[in-house]
């Protein structure tokens, strides 16, 4: 058994992991106690990474489609790359370099990013290279640059330990960045005087932990921040010396915020005036105020202004450049920062250079040994797919991302992918929504299989090492791009100096390192050897330095022409799509605790569905009552772009007029194109980031009385069997008016398919579902038929245990049967259940319900029962009681915020 150091491939916290492997297979993963991002802790997603390291569903060999009407067939690498080089050269010669484009990913390593950027801007001569970081971090970038002068988060995670106010805006940190939230919890426990303010329309687990929750109306963040600044100015709670000596532009901002009176601001934001005053007072009086923010600010038509308005508060109070203070954007992806460092977006160049700056373009051209690099702005994510749809871009190369699930306005994206002359998808997984459109599929190595660097939210660079070889013929992303670039270079630049001589990821890093010399992110003092010997390091780390910089701007000198930070004159503007009589509900999207992005990785782990099995629309009880909807009912959700049918659930975390829908589910798990079929593609004019967080919708009850639930265990005892069935079941999602599919179970991984229709579907369709589940084997299948009620039940038995179930026409037995199946109960008593008009569970058996603690498999039902059993005179009031008695929350801690809420609710009921 060998141990390999790496980092987690999920969010931007950048947790260190130790990969255990046997040379052929990754067998386990634990947190790296020496990594300063997490000190050994992992969340539910990170701690289950080894379950994702399996060959099923992987892209294993290059594949090409002879034409759009035929399926892809396996090819060798040379044939595939030669074909691609010829097609690129022909298209560029005929239509120009801007007829091709690259859409890449914040999940690539920095070295991968660097090669793609150089390939597009250096060899081909187009700036049409953009990243899915455009969907999550580009407004944070423009906000930092507009105020502080550079795309450089000034803080470090250790500032959480030094703050006496933590101001969280637009981030459910407990779910999106769980390990950072553990650190916030620890800081609060160590210092009970630490104040925490959370700004969020929902009462999330993060908000429930706060000393003050500001449930603002969606999109009113700028009004809130300007209203707080109005109060700070009025009360004289600003740092006049800092403003005078280290900033500029305060007068223009004063003229704007003068109008944001407490009364007007509170009414605009939909919060209590007293709470607004308290928030401003705490911020102004704070010795060290730290702001943490994420997609609630970024994914907006006005994302840049939201970011700058928050940074204005820090500049006005001098809360920057000192321990525990500063505006700290939380990165959404594991290497979105690294991608920005190498210029892997349509408006950037290597080393944090700006494409619009002629001097910067000349510097990059010189570093690359070229006469020039293109000055025409490239297409950013949304505009790129528009250009593909209208035929301006002929060839689209997509690497390590899934735009057919993640981009807004999915109808447009799918149309663009159909219209493209050539779609190349470089991907580790063969079964994503986007790979269905691939004319060429390039199999890529993934987590645990390749070497390179990543940069996390606090500017910390970690070196990753491969634990095992990639399966099949999959290659490292940089290797694929280099092999292609060398072929294309031979056609476009015959006989000239090679631009891509790299034989290792380290050679690429060394060239990237040189592009940062003298820049704000100077890493000329770093090397693979140093990162191996000393571990992860923060930038800047220039040549000759002994260590990186923990926090920036401690000298109050900013990377602007004047050396001063700039106040940005931001004004409140409403959301891009306001509610009206036709679309009266404001929909907010966001993350769940145990899933990530489009679920191409987490969607392969059954236990990660235990906390949330399917997408549900959370609604206030008032909105549900108006529509005669109860929890569990199917509802039809419509926006101006598309519609979905999903289950509704009642939530006390939302005010009337607002709903919440998780972002993760796409066409691989639900009928249609997924959640982003509803969202809007309007973008921020500066950052070009789309307003994915919000749109206006209508909701009505869906009358679909015919129901289906189909379940089967992975009979081999391995997840691959369940995943194989899941893949086949996905082909039937669009055969019903409502359908979802996914996994469940723990020791035995199981697949589940849910569907509903207004009437019973074609019998051939049902027969195919039965065949997929093995329910066509007459000798081992029990049957129940009620033709009058159109009810059919099928149960397959093997070795005395139930292994597959189909309930046609009704689904009342779903919950307890699901637990029965996954827990491996014997078949006894099930005949009685089958023959009953209403399928009731065997005597003494009860469903466990939703799992709250994934690490130790503790359910909501078990926790609630334990809390209810407490002596009313001495109600359980501490987390340690639950941790000691049921052990929930005692490992990764991701469930701790929910446990606290359950304890608080139980205590309130007892009182």
């Amino acid at each position: 058994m060998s141990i390999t150091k790496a980092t987690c491939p999920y969010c931007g916290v950048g947790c260190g992991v130790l990969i255990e492997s046997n040379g052929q297979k990754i067998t386990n993963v634990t947190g790296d106690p020496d990594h300063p991002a997490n000190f050994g802790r992992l969340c539910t997603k990170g701690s289950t990474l080894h379950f994702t390291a399996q060959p099923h569903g992987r892209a294993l060999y290059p594949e090409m489609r002879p034409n759009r009407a035929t399926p892809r067939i396996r090819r060798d690498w040379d044939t595939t790359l030669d074909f691609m080089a010829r097609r690129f050269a022909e298209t560029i010669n005929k239509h120009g370099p801007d007829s091709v484009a690259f859409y890449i990913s914040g999940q690539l390593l920095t070295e991968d990013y660097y090669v793609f950027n150089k390939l597009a801007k250096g060899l081909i001569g187009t700036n049409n290279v953009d990243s899915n970081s455009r969907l999550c971090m580009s407004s944070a970038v423009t906000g930092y640059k507009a105020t502080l002068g550079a795309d450089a988060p000034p803080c470090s995670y250790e500032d959480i330990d030094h703050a006496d106010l933590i101001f969280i805006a637009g981030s459910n940190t407990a779910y999106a960045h769980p390990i950072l939230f553990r650190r916030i919890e620890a800081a609060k426990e160590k210092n009970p005087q630490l104040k925490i303010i959370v700004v969020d329309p929902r009462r999330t687990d993060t908000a429930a932990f706060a000393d003050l929750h500001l449930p603002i109306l969606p999109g009113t963040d700028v009004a809130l921040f300007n209203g707080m600044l109005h109060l700070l100015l009025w009360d004289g709670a600003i740092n006049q010396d800092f403003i005078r000596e280290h900033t500029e532009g305060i007068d223009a901002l004063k003229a704007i915020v003068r109008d944001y009176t407490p009364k007007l601001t509170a009414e605009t934001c939909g919060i209590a005036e007293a709470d607004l005053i308290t928030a401003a007072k705490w911020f102004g009086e704070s010795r060290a105020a730290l702001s943490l923010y994420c997609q609630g600010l970024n994914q907006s038509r006005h994302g840049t202004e939201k970011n700058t308005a928050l940074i204005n508060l820090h500049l006005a109070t001098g809360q920057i450049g000192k321990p525990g203070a500063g505006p700290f954007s939380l990165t959404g992806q594991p290497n979105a920062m690294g991608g920005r460092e190498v210029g892997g977006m349509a408006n950037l160049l290597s080393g944090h250079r700006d494409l619009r700056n002629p001097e910067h373009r000349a510097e990059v051209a010189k570093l690359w040994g070229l006469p020039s690099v293109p000055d025409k702005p490239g297409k950013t994510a949304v505009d790129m797919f528009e250009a593909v749809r209208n035929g301006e871009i002929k060839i689209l190369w997509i690497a390590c991302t899934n735009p057919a699930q993640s981009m807004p306005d999915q109808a447009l994206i799918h149309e663009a992918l159909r219209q493209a002359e050539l779609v190349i998808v470089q991907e580790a997984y063969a079964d994503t929504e986007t790979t269905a459109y691939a004319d060429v599929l390039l199999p890529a190595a993934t987590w645990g299989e390749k070497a390179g660097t990543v940069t996390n939210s606090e500017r910390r660079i970690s070196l990753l090492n491969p634990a095992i070889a990639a399966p099949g013929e999959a290659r490292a992303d940089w290797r694929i791009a280099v092999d292609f670039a060398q072929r294309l270079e031979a056609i476009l630049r015959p006989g000239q100096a090679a631009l891509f001589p790299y034989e290792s990821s380290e050679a690429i890093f060394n060239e990237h390192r040189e592009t940062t010399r003298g820049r704000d992110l100077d890493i000329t003092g770093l090397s693979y050897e140093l990162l191996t010997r000393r571990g992860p390091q923060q930038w800047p780390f220039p040549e000759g330095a002994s260590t990186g910089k923990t926090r920036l701007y401690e000298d109050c000198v900013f990377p602007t022409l004047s050396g001063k930070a700039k106040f940005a004159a931001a004004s409140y503007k409403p959301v891009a799509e306001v509610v009206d009589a036709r679309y009266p509900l404001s929909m907010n999207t966001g993350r769940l605790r145990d899933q990530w992005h489009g679920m191409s990785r987490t969607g392969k782990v059954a236990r990660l569905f235990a906390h949330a099995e399917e997408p549900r629309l959370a609604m206030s009880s008032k909105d549900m009552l108006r529509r005669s909807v109860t929890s569990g009912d199917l509802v039809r959700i419509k926006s101006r772009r598309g519609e979905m049918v999903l289950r509704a659930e009642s939530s006390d975390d939302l005010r009337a007029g607002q709903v919440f829908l998780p972002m993760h589910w796409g066409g691989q798990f639900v009928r249609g194109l997924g959640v982003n079929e509803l969202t809007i593609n309007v973008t921020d004019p500066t950052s070009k980031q789309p307003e994915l967080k919000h749109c206006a919708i209508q909701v009505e009850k869906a009358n679909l009385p015919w129901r289906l639930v189909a379940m089967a265990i992975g009979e081999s005892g391995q997840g691959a069997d369940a995943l194989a069935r899941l893949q086949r079941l996905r082909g039937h999602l669009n055969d019903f008016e409502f359908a979802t599919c996914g996994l469940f179970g723990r020791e035995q991984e199981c697949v589940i398919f849910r569907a509903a229709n207004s009437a019973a579907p074609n019998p051939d369709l049902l027969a195919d579902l039965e065949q997929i589940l093995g329910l066509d084997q007459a000798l081992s299948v029990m049957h129940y038929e009620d033709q009058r009620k159109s009810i059919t039940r099928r149960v397959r038995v093997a070795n005395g245990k139930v292994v597959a179930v189909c309930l046609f026409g009704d689904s009342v037995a779903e919950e307890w049967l699901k637990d029965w199946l996954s827990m491996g109960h014997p078949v006894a008593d099930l005949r009685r259940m089958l023959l009953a008009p209403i399928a009731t569970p065997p005597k003494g058996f009860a469903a466990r319900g939703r799992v709250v603690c994934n690490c130790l498999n503790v359910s909501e039902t078990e926790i609630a029962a334990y809390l209810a059993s407490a002596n009313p005179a001495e109600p359980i009031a501490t987390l340690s009681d639950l941790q000691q008695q049921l052990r929930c929350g005692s490992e990764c801690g991701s469930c701790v915020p929910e446990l606290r809420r359950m304890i608080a609710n139980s205590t309130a009921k007892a009182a």
Side-chain angles (χ1 to χ4, degrees):
M1 189 68 65
S2 61
I3 304 293
T4 306
K5 284 180 177 284
T7 63
C8 177
Y10 292 125
C11 77
V13 174
C15 294
V17 298
L18 300 177
I19 302 173
E20 297 178 20
S21 61
N22 59 14
Q24 301 294 321
K25 181 181 178 181
I26 292 174
T27 57
N28 195 24
V29 63
T30 55
D32 182 353
D34 297 326
H35 199 291
N38 60 315
F39 298 109
R41 287 195 163 192
L42 293 177
C43 71
T44 54
K45 296 184 290 293
S47 62
T48 55
L49 270 168
H50 52 294
F51 293 115
T52 72
Q54 53 183 304
H56 184 81
R58 290 291 301 273
L60 299 174
Y61 311 101
E63 295 177 358
M64 291 171 55
R65 199 190 312 272
N67 58 68
R68 282 287 169 88
T70 59
R72 294 188 304 266
I73 58 177
R74 179 175 171 179
R75 294 293 193 208
D76 61 75
W77 274 107
D78 287 338
T79 300
T80 304
L81 294 172
D82 286 345
F83 165 79
M84 289 167 51
R86 287 195 304 271
R87 282 293 300 270
F88 264 78
E90 290 166 1
T91 303
I92 292 166
N93 288 333
K94 184 175 181 180
H95 301 287
D98 290 332
S99 63
V100 302
F102 299 83
Y103 186 61
I104 55 180
S105 168
Q107 296 162 63
L108 291 171
L109 305 185
T110 301
E111 293 80 358
D112 305 326
Y113 249 123
Y114 185 87
V115 174
F116 271 113
N117 195 48
K118 189 176 183 180
L119 167 60
K121 297 170 184 175
L123 175 58
I124 295 173
T126 181
N127 288 312
N128 285 344
V129 55
D130 209 43
S131 164
N132 61 12
S133 298
R134 184 72 59 185
L135 308 183
C136 64
M137 297 310 301
S138 53
S139 291
V141 173
T142 53
Y144 276 141
K145 292 172 75 172
T147 53
L148 308 183
D151 172 21
C155 309
S156 293
Y157 297 155
E158 71 175 55
D159 285 313
I160 292 171
D161 307 322
H162 298 294
D164 61 14
L165 171 70
I166 297 178
F167 188 82
I168 304 174
S171 170
N172 185 10
T173 318
Y175 278 16
H177 299 93
I179 297 305
L180 272 193
F181 196 72
R182 301 287 83 73
R183 197 156 182 167
I184 294 170
E185 291 172 324
K188 179 72 169 176
E189 184 175 356
K190 183 178 179 181
N191 175 22
Q193 301 306 309
L194 169 65
K195 295 285 195 303
I196 298 174
I197 302 173
V198 172
V199 181
D200 198 305
R202 292 192 300 142
R203 186 170 174 78
T204 63
D205 281 347
T206 306
F209 186 68
D211 298 287
L212 176 63
H213 174 212
L214 300 176
I216 63 171
L217 294 171
T220 58
D221 309 78
V222 172
L224 173 68
F225 304 149
N226 282 357
M228 289 175 64
L229 183 56
H230 174 103
L231 285 163
L232 292 171
L233 290 165
W234 182 265
D235 294 337
I238 58 174
N239 190 325
Q240 294 281 12
D241 292 340
F242 183 89
I243 293 171
R244 181 178 60 256
E245 296 172 14
H246 305 298
T247 72
E248 53 192 17
I250 186 64
D251 291 336
L253 182 57
K254 282 181 178 178
I256 290 174
V257 302
R258 183 182 298 121
D259 296 331
Y260 288 81
T261 62
K263 184 175 186 299
L264 176 63
T265 300
E267 289 176 351
T268 301
C269 297
I271 60 175
E273 187 174 336
D275 288 345
L276 170 68
I277 294 170
T278 298
K281 181 174 183 290
W282 286 359
F283 204 103
E285 292 178 350
S286 174
R287 176 190 54 82
L290 178 69
S291 293
L292 305 175
Y293 49 99
C294 200
Q295 307 311 350
L297 300 195
N298 296 338
Q299 288 182 335
S300 167
R301 183 184 195 174
H302 312 297
T304 301
E305 291 168 315
K306 290 180 180 181
N307 275 262
T308 58
L310 178 56
I311 295 172
N312 285 341
L313 292 175
H314 285 270
L315 297 179
T317 54
Q319 294 283 7
I320 191 171
K322 61 183 183 180
F328 194 0
S329 68
L330 301 181
T331 310
Q333 295 189 87
N335 200 32
M337 285 281 287
R340 285 139 58 186
E341 291 162 13
V342 303
M345 298 179 80
N347 58 316
L348 303 177
L349 289 170
S350 294
H352 279 181
R353 293 175 175 84
D354 196 308
L355 176 68
R356 296 165 298 182
N357 187 317
E359 293 182 5
H360 288 183
R361 293 198 303 272
E363 289 170 3
V364 171
K366 182 178 180 182
L367 286 164
W368 285 349
L370 294 168
S372 64
V373 292
D375 61 351
K376 180 183 177 182
K379 300 291 186 184
T380 56
V382 171
D383 290 341
M384 181 180 289
F385 282 88
E386 286 273 17
V388 173
R389 183 175 68 163
N390 66 30
E392 182 182 347
I393 292 174
K394 313 292 183 183
I395 299 178
L396 179 62
W397 187 336
I398 300 166
C400 195
T401 186
N402 188 18
Q405 184 277 334
S406 59
M407 290 283 289
D409 192 1
Q410 278 291 299
L412 182 154
I413 304 303
H414 284 251
E415 183 181 351
L417 291 169
R418 286 191 295 269
Q419 292 293 330
E421 292 185 7
L422 182 66
V423 175
I424 300 162
V425 178
Q426 181 170 319
E427 177 61 76
Y429 298 103
D431 55 357
T432 72
E433 290 86 345
T434 303
T435 55
Y437 291 97
D439 300 300
V440 178
L441 179 62
L442 306 175
T446 187
W447 173 82
E449 301 166 357
K450 56 182 183 175
T453 56
V454 295
T455 309
N456 72 356
S457 294
E458 61 170 352
R459 298 172 281 104
R460 190 178 297 277
I461 298 174
S462 296
L463 176 64
L464 283 65
N465 296 295
I468 58 173
E473 295 180 10
R475 294 181 176 180
D477 292 282
W478 70 265
R479 181 78 267 175
I480 297 171
V482 165
D483 287 351
F484 167 81
Q486 290 172 347
R487 286 168 165 82
L488 184 61
E489 189 174 21
I491 300 173
L492 298 182
R493 302 176 71 247
Q496 298 189 52
L499 295 176
F500 302 90
Y502 319 115
E503 292 299 329
S504 67
S505 61
E506 185 174 11
I508 302 168
F509 178 86
N510 292 342
E511 182 173 309
H512 156 57
R513 178 181 62 190
E514 188 57 33
T515 72
T516 71
R517 188 176 295 277
R519 305 290 300 164
D520 67 292
L521 73 161
D522 192 325
I523 58 169
T524 50
L526 292 181
S527 65
Y528 272 25
E529 186 277 329
L530 185 145
L531 291 170
T532 300
R533 177 167 42 88
R534 294 181 50 188
Q537 301 294 319
Q538 289 178 280
W539 61 253
F541 198 121
E543 191 172 23
S546 59
T547 186
K549 208 165 181 60
T550 301
R551 61 188 57 83
L552 306 181
Y553 315 131
E554 291 176 305
D555 58 0
C556 298
V557 176
F558 297 88
T560 62
L561 290 176
S562 65
K564 295 183 176 183
K566 299 179 180 180
F567 284 100
S571 297
Y572 162 68
K573 303 177 188 67
V575 292
E577 193 170 70
V578 297
V579 297
D580 57 22
R582 188 177 176 195
Y583 298 96
L585 294 175
S586 173
M587 188 181 88
N588 181 18
T589 64
R591 298 177 186 270
L592 294 176
R593 190 191 75 187
D594 295 350
Q595 297 292 353
W596 197 71
H597 282 201
M599 299 164 59
S600 56
R601 189 189 301 272
T602 55
K604 291 177 168 56
V605 182
R607 66 184 65 190
L608 293 182
F609 287 83
H611 193 242
E613 294 180 343
E614 60 178 352
R616 293 199 173 201
L617 184 74
M619 304 176 66
S620 75
S621 56
K622 291 181 180 178
D623 287 325
M624 296 179 79
L625 183 63
R626 291 189 187 106
R627 292 161 176 81
S628 301
V629 173
T630 59
S631 283
D633 284 350
L634 293 175
V635 292
R636 195 174 303 277
I637 312 161
K638 292 183 180 179
S639 76
R640 290 179 172 85
R641 291 151 298 281
E643 67 177 71
M644 301 182 71
V645 176
L646 298 174
R647 295 186 200 274
E649 64 179 9
S650 180
S651 173
D652 295 330
D653 301 331
L654 297 154
R655 71 172 83 194
Q658 297 179 22
V659 299
F660 172 77
L661 188 60
M663 58 169 273
H664 308 286
W665 273 269
Q668 292 289 299
F669 296 95
V670 298
R671 183 194 188 279
L673 303 181
V675 172
N676 281 319
E677 189 170 358
L678 305 171
T679 53
I680 190 168
N681 65 7
V682 173
T683 61
D684 179 297
T686 304
S687 70
K688 301 298 182 182
Q689 183 162 352
E691 185 156 293
L692 275 162
K693 284 293 291 181
H694 178 269
C695 67
I697 64 165
Q698 59 176 255
V699 175
E700 61 183 18
K701 190 172 182 178
N703 183 26
L704 302 175
W706 188 91
R707 302 297 173 92
L708 159 71
V709 176
M711 299 176 258
I713 69 168
E715 293 178 64
S716 65
Q718 302 297 320
D721 189 61
L723 287 167
R725 281 208 172 101
L726 179 63
Q727 181 63 30
R728 294 179 65 192
L729 288 170
R730 283 170 174 166
H732 289 301
L733 282 169
N734 290 326
D735 293 327
F736 299 90
E737 295 171 70
F738 157 80
T740 67
C741 62
L743 301 171
F744 68 96
R746 199 170 181 91
E747 283 73 23
Q748 296 256 46
E749 294 203 332
C750 310
V751 64
I752 185 165
F753 185 94
R754 299 178 176 94
N757 255 13
S758 52
N762 188 311
D764 291 341
L765 170 59
L766 303 183
D768 193 45
L769 290 173
E770 289 183 334
Q771 191 275 328
I772 292 172
L773 300 174
L775 288 164
D776 56 343
Q777 303 171 23
L779 293 179
S780 60
V781 174
M782 297 186 292
H783 301 256
Y784 172 82
E785 301 278 353
D786 186 337
Q787 293 184 356
R788 185 175 59 86
K789 294 183 178 181
S790 298
I791 291 175
T792 301
R793 299 178 190 139
R794 301 276 191 272
V795 176
R796 182 159 66 92
V797 178
N799 299 319
K801 294 184 178 181
V802 176
V803 295
V805 177
C806 241
L807 307 177
F808 299 115
D810 76 328
S811 58
V812 293
E814 174 189 338
E815 284 305 313
W816 70 264
L817 262 176
K818 184 162 60 64
D819 280 349
W820 185 278
L821 195 71
S822 65
M823 294 164 68
H825 284 288
V827 73
D829 296 329
L830 281 184
R831 284 183 176 83
R832 211 174 330 161
M833 178 282 294
L834 278 171
L835 297 175
I838 299 177
T840 56
K843 187 176 181 180
F845 180 80
R848 300 183 68 238
R850 189 170 63 95
V851 171
V852 173
C853 177
N854 232 324
C855 295
L856 296 166
N857 195 26
V858 185
S859 74
E860 184 177 36
T861 303
E862 292 160 342
I863 297 166
Y866 184 74
L867 292 172
S869 69
N871 184 346
E874 299 178 7
I876 294 174
T878 66
L879 176 65
S880 62
D881 292 320
L882 273 178
Q883 291 173 321
Q884 290 173 15
Q885 298 299 322
L886 299 182
R887 296 191 63 213
C888 50
S890 62
E891 288 208 1
C892 84
S894 295
C895 64
V896 166
E898 187 168 355
L899 295 176
R900 282 202 180 95
R901 282 225 273 178
M902 293 184 72
I903 292 167
N905 291 339
S906 178
T907 304
K909 288 178 183 177

